[in-house]
Amino acid sequence: MEKIKDYIASNSDRFLEELFELIRIPSVSSSEAHKGDMIKTAEAVREALLKAGADEVQIMDTQGHPVVYGEKLVDSSLPTVLVYGHYDVQPAEPLELWKSPPFEPEVRDGKIYARGADDDKGQLFMHVKAFEFMVAEEKLPCNVKFMIEGEEEIGSPSLKQFCRENKELLKSDVILISDTTMISLDVPSITTGLRGLSYLQVEVTGPNRDLHSGLYGGAVANPVNVLSNMISQLTDESNRITIPGFYDDVIEASKEERNEMAKAPFDLGAYKGALDIEEVDGEKGYSTIERTGIRPSLDVCGIWGGFTGEGAKTVLPSKAYAKISMRLVPNQDSERVDQLFEDYFKSIAPAGVKVVVRSLHGGQGYVSPIDTAAYQAASKAVEETFGKKPVPFRSGGSIPIVSDFEEVLGVKSILLGFGLESDAIHSPNENYPLDNFFRGIETIPYFYKYFSEMS
Ligand code: BES
Ligand code: MN
Ligand code: MN
């Protein structure tokens, strides 16, 4: 196992070149125009897995983008690790804010800059290379399966059904995922919680056409004004969400848990500095770590309507829209929250407008217990390569399919992510530090080893 460091050192250029090939295919899952690129990327992932030593790799069709499934089964009496990742990426727009083109990966200041460099091509590729090493050294202590999907960034609409239909194929003892962050290379950590999500689009319609704002202004409800006003009623002065029943299923963290969380290293000054903000903001009575880790939140992701072109057009618009995301904590049900939102949102609409609420996607949160063999194996693996015991922490992000894995496959996931919050995932200039990439490759084989020894 000690050879992994040498293996990385003597193959690092090749690893990067291979990762860059994958990144160069713009696999934006949300865009019809990239349908062909999705297939090309799935094929590239298939080739990468075969090259690394998988015995069999299939591109499996779904209702949407295909899933790449690969495996190397060494012995049915050994445990099986199922590696999950996603080959799709978020759109790269706004393009003008990128310092180098998003799909032409470039290393600057020790970081790979590109869309997907971290989320999730860079992170899934660590698994391919760690696996390659284990196969090359004939050290694989367990069976390994790969399920790499192409729809995570659009809410994994086909994957739950795919799991239902392929239960036997996906049978495993643990699911291993690198699609989250750690606190820093100096403070290694393992994600033990993900938030759920309710993502909705609202449409507010006033008059049946755009009106002259002089002739009608003041006499007819303006949907943009109304929508802004309704949104402002979704939270109160303590930044608590006002939707009736919203907090019913939220489990309050105990004093002990909160004390434990407060021990995690967190530098508020550095946090504000990195974002160029004078002050943080959120639910009264909770720390920043708590606000993202154990509390739900509500954000408008986009809002539009009326005239936004050059100059001034005096118009009272017919329609206004917003996209609203609510991050949920474990035990909150996203379908119930969708319903609570819709009922409340309609109840606060004035009579002069019509409101339509559409659910775009959702999913449940996830908590990973730390008293399992899988968590202990991950913890030992990180300790081995980082020289420090990792701290468990709850992330504010979501990977909705993780709770479905538990429900459909009955298998828990380990969130062994190597990204950093500063990697700017989903933003312009997404990046992934080379140190994190290589340290990830180094850590994963130890997970295989310890997990096999412990289970
Ligand atoms: N990899 C992220 C989720 C993530 C990042 C979790 C960092 C924890 C730490 C994933 O690709 C993602 O972006 N998820 C979406 C889910 C949505 C599209 C259904 C999210 O969180 O917005
Ligand atoms: Mn991701
Ligand atoms: Mn993402």
Side-chain angles (χ1 to χ4, degrees):
M1 200 67 76
E2 308 67 45
K3 285 194 191 151
I4 180 71
K5 274 198 170 161
D6 296 336
Y7 191 79
I8 294 170
S10 41
N11 291 285
S12 56
D13 289 347
R14 175 174 64 85
F15 287 1
L16 287 179
E17 199 30 63
E18 289 174 9
L19 169 62
F20 288 6
E21 267 174 43
L22 203 61
I23 290 177
R24 286 190 191 109
I25 318 170
S27 47
V28 181
S29 48
S30 60
S31 148
E32 202 49 45
H34 289 289
K35 241 186 137 166
D37 291 320
M38 300 308 292
I39 294 170
K40 273 192 203 158
T41 313
E43 280 164 358
V45 172
R46 176 173 186 271
E47 290 315 307
L49 287 172
L50 284 171
K51 191 174 167 190
D55 289 334
E56 205 181 310
V57 187
Q58 318 169 39
I59 295 182
M60 298 176 73
D61 284 333
T62 69
Q63 293 275 305
H65 303 306
V67 172
V68 186
Y69 173 82
E71 63 181 26
K72 184 163 184 75
L73 307 181
V74 286
D75 183 341
S76 61
S77 67
L78 291 172
T80 300
V81 176
L82 174 62
V83 175
Y84 163 83
H86 63 93
Y87 66 80
D88 65 322
V89 297
Q90 287 275 328
E93 284 77 16
L95 298 177
E96 66 279 10
L97 297 182
W98 286 79
K99 288 209 188 80
S100 54
F103 298 105
E104 294 172 28
E106 187 176 293
V107 176
R108 295 195 303 272
D109 319 319
K111 298 171 183 172
I112 307 162
Y113 281 88
R115 174 57 86 236
D118 162 333
D119 187 11
D120 183 38
K121 286 175 177 166
Q123 295 218 56
L124 83 82
F125 208 66
M126 301 178 316
H127 285 272
V128 180
K129 294 298 112 177
F131 172 72
E132 175 188 298
F133 164 76
M134 297 300 276
V135 175
E137 294 288 305
E138 296 178 22
K139 287 269 170 59
L140 210 57
C142 54
N143 304 303
V144 182
K145 297 179 173 179
F146 289 90
M147 170 173 49
I148 313 295
E149 73 150 323
E151 299 193 309
E152 196 278 340
E153 299 292 6
I154 52 171
S156 305
S158 313
L159 203 61
K160 194 171 182 181
Q161 186 56 26
F162 179 87
C163 290
R164 283 197 199 101
E165 287 166 6
N166 293 283
K167 266 181 151 163
E168 200 42 46
L169 187 71
L170 300 171
K171 212 169 161 211
S172 61
D173 299 286
V174 68
I175 300 174
L176 183 62
I177 306 176
S178 295
D179 193 24
T180 51
T181 56
M182 38 171 56
I183 297 174
S184 72
L185 284 177
D186 296 328
V187 187
S189 56
I190 295 176
T191 301
T192 51
L194 293 166
R195 288 198 285 184
L197 180 67
S198 277
Y199 196 116
L200 305 133
Q201 179 165 324
V202 300
E203 177 186 323
V204 177
T205 306
N208 57 7
R209 60 187 164 86
D210 287 1
L211 303 175
H212 187 289
S213 68
L215 293 179
Y216 292 94
V220 173
N222 177 324
V224 179
N225 293 28
V226 168
L227 175 59
S228 313
N229 191 275
M230 288 167 73
I231 288 170
S232 77
Q233 291 177 59
L234 294 173
T235 47
D236 67 14
E237 60 287 348
S238 306
N239 278 316
R240 271 180 76 88
I241 295 156
T242 50
I243 300 166
F246 182 86
Y247 289 96
D248 284 1
D249 298 324
V250 174
I251 301 167
E252 297 289 331
S254 68
K255 245 206 156 83
E256 293 74 47
E257 267 178 88
R258 295 183 68 184
N259 286 340
E260 211 42 52
M261 283 187 82
K263 285 187 199 152
F266 178 73
D267 182 341
L268 188 60
Y271 185 85
K272 292 192 282 192
L275 303 178
D276 277 327
I277 52 174
E278 293 296 321
E279 201 41 87
V280 290
D281 195 35
E283 188 181 353
K284 206 172 153 192
Y286 293 91
S287 70
T288 296
I289 293 187
E290 290 174 334
R291 285 168 179 169
T292 58
I294 57 165
R295 301 300 295 169
S297 57
L298 182 151
D299 281 282
V300 178
C301 297
I303 182 164
W304 69 102
F307 179 69
T308 55
E310 196 189 341
K313 179 186 181 195
T314 48
V315 73
L316 189 163
S318 165
K319 282 180 183 288
Y321 303 84
K323 292 191 192 269
I324 296 174
S325 96
M326 286 170 280
R327 296 286 167 166
L328 311 177
V329 292
N331 200 49
Q332 277 184 297
D333 177 70
S334 70
E335 280 175 26
R336 176 163 188 269
V337 168
D338 285 351
Q339 194 58 55
L340 293 175
F341 177 96
E342 181 169 355
D343 293 347
Y344 179 61
F345 206 65
K346 287 186 167 161
S347 79
I348 59 174
V353 298
K354 295 181 200 71
V355 173
V356 177
V357 177
R358 266 199 312 138
S359 169
L360 297 187
H361 51 226
Q364 320 301 348
Y366 181 73
V367 237
S368 152
I370 61 172
D371 57 356
T372 60
Y375 183 87
Q376 294 308 321
S379 178
K380 274 186 77 176
V382 170
E383 190 171 355
E384 179 76 45
T385 50
F386 288 75
K388 282 179 196 164
K389 202 177 152 119
V391 277
F393 89 110
R394 296 241 200 145
S395 171
S398 309
I399 311 176
I401 198 67
V402 174
S403 71
D404 296 330
F405 288 156
E406 189 172 7
E407 185 194 320
V408 178
L409 303 173
V411 183
K412 280 273 187 188
S413 297
I414 289 292
L415 301 159
L416 188 59
F418 295 91
L420 299 176
E421 275 186 13
S422 54
D423 291 354
I425 62 170
H426 296 203
S427 301
N429 305 306
E430 174 176 352
N431 63 86
Y432 194 33
L434 292 172
D435 283 348
N436 295 56
F437 177 65
F438 292 126
R439 204 76 76 84
I441 300 174
E442 197 184 323
T443 306
I444 293 162
Y446 286 100
F447 175 82
Y448 289 169
K449 176 176 186 275
Y450 295 133
F451 181 67
S452 304
E453 286 171 9
M454 287 172 175
S455 51

